[in-house]
Amino acid sequence: MLPFSFEKVRTEQDAIRAAAAGARYIAGGTTLIDLMRDEVERPERLVDINALPMADIRADGQDLVIGALARMSDVAAHPETKRLQPLIAEALIEGASPQLRNMASMGGNLLQRVRCPYFRMLDAACNKRDPGSGCSAIDGLNAGHAILGTSDHCVATHPSDVAVALVALGATIRVRGPQGERTFPVEELFRLPGDTPHLEHTLRTGELIVEIRVPGGPYARQARYLKVRDRASYEFALVSAAVALETAGGTIRQARVAVGGVGTRPWRMRAVEEALRGKATDRDAFEAAAHLALEGTRPLAHNHYKVELLPRTIVRALEMAGGTA
């Protein structure tokens, strides 16, 4: 690990001022410290933001409001999360080991770096780590990589589980920075790689995620998260699906569907949602809609199995949410 300076801050203004001058925020540090040990990340200055008052978890009407510094374990166990947004609790529990959930913050989870092995190998070409060097994964070992949103410069999947649930539910984030405050959908936080895969999010220099707001809705309590992986714990998704349904008399009034493990960012499946509206909660309708998830897929040499696994995962998650599993 290379030398760096470290300081704690007590106010948002001090944190933002330091970040605007080139410092990096650190909260739980579950990703950043690992990458620093491997010299993948080499910040010269870290600012500890754990003392900032941004760990609250509360209900605002039917909305769930989560402070960016709230720990994953606290959010998953909170009574208001379970009451208003059980999908968030399920995605958090599936997303990491208990030890990591106790340390990792919600804001940090959204901004975690990719788990592509070539990103962490300093002797491999990686456009995220070293822009312009190439992408070893495209012609390498790519069984776990993306089939949606890829480019000729990067095929890494986004690793967050709870981000998939937040995108499905239409959550927003509030950020503050040198230019003031703004709020935008969580879905708009994540960039496609294009020809600049080292630019992973849309935060401006110095901006700090303050809170996440998950809007309530009639679909929120009839929702499930399904994660398919190589082993039962401490593993990233091969394919995952977050689904939420509003039904009446066996008919779908509204559906929310997003998937993980297959995209370079959490992937909202709007065509699937539209195809489900007005349909019966049965397997035939689920399968017909899930097939639309394959539009735009670009499998690689070793991950073609995801083309088959993706719609199957969506169907199973819909059956779980619809009570037909």
Side-chain angles (χ1 to χ4, degrees):
M1 185 182 295
L2 299 177
F4 62 93
S5 66
F6 182 88
E7 64 181 288
K8 294 184 178 182
V9 292
R10 299 290 178 181
T11 69
E12 287 182 21
Q13 292 78 11
D14 287 344
I16 291 168
R17 190 179 301 112
R24 291 283 300 276
Y25 297 128
I26 186 168
T30 55
T31 296
L32 180 57
I33 297 300
D34 278 349
L35 293 176
M36 289 174 64
R37 288 194 187 107
D38 293 337
E39 297 188 8
V40 175
E41 292 268 20
R42 303 178 183 184
E44 296 180 357
R45 182 184 178 195
L46 295 181
V47 174
D48 183 345
I49 59 173
N50 284 296
L52 302 184
M54 301 190 311
D56 191 31
I57 306 162
R58 59 185 174 86
D60 183 8
Q62 292 300 304
D63 292 357
L64 178 67
V65 182
I66 305 167
L69 287 176
R71 268 29 189 188
M72 293 170 61
S73 56
D74 293 335
V75 178
H78 200 279
E80 295 292 10
T81 306
K82 295 178 179 179
R83 181 175 71 88
L84 294 172
Q85 298 291 351
L87 177 59
I88 299 298
E90 188 170 25
L92 286 167
I93 291 169
E94 291 292 304
S97 68
Q99 295 91 338
L100 287 175
R101 294 199 302 269
N102 287 337
M103 285 292 295
S105 68
M106 289 294 290
N109 181 278
L110 296 181
L111 297 178
Q112 64 182 292
R113 305 300 302 275
V114 297
R115 289 315 197 273
C116 173
Y118 299 108
F119 173 66
R120 293 164 180 260
M121 296 167 55
L122 297 182
D123 58 347
C126 175
N127 287 316
K128 279 189 178 294
R129 175 174 33 80
D130 183 13
S133 64
C135 176
S136 294
I138 290 176
D139 296 315
L141 300 175
N142 49 42
H145 287 70
I147 60 174
L148 286 166
T150 59
S151 74
D152 292 338
H153 303 278
C154 184
V155 294
T157 56
H158 190 271
S160 173
D161 288 280
V162 74
V164 178
L166 292 170
V167 166
L169 294 167
T172 60
I173 59 172
R174 183 159 59 93
V175 304
R176 292 196 188 108
Q179 300 175 10
E181 181 176 297
R182 62 192 180 109
T183 299
F184 54 91
V186 170
E187 187 175 10
E188 295 179 7
L189 175 64
F190 309 106
R191 293 178 182 267
L192 292 174
D195 57 3
T196 55
H198 60 291
L199 303 176
E200 296 181 348
H201 55 73
T202 59
L203 293 180
R204 300 165 184 164
T205 300
E207 281 191 324
L208 176 69
I209 299 176
V210 176
E211 71 176 23
I212 303 161
R213 179 177 289 265
V214 191
Y219 49 80
R221 294 178 184 85
Q222 196 173 348
R224 295 298 304 270
Y225 184 73
L226 177 61
K227 181 176 182 178
V228 180
R229 48 192 165 178
D230 283 332
R231 58 187 179 187
S233 66
Y234 202 65
E235 186 61 274
F236 294 95
L238 299 174
V239 180
S240 66
V243 304
L245 299 175
E246 178 192 358
T247 62
T251 299
I252 300 170
R253 287 185 173 179
Q254 187 177 181
R256 297 293 185 97
V257 181
V259 297
V262 292
T264 53
R265 65 182 184 190
W267 209 267
R268 180 86 176 266
M269 289 292 177
R270 288 182 170 81
V272 175
E273 296 172 356
E274 183 61 31
L276 288 168
R277 190 174 296 117
K279 299 297 192 301
T281 54
D282 61 39
R283 188 175 183 87
D284 289 343
F286 294 162
E287 287 181 344
H291 183 73
L292 300 176
L294 298 179
E295 182 179 352
T297 54
R298 297 176 58 193
L300 300 164
H302 304 295
N303 69 357
H304 201 278
Y305 71 93
K306 291 191 178 187
V307 174
E308 185 174 357
L309 187 58
L310 173 57
R312 289 187 176 187
T313 303
I314 293 173
V315 169
R316 180 61 175 170
L318 288 167
E319 289 178 331
M320 292 163 61
T324 61

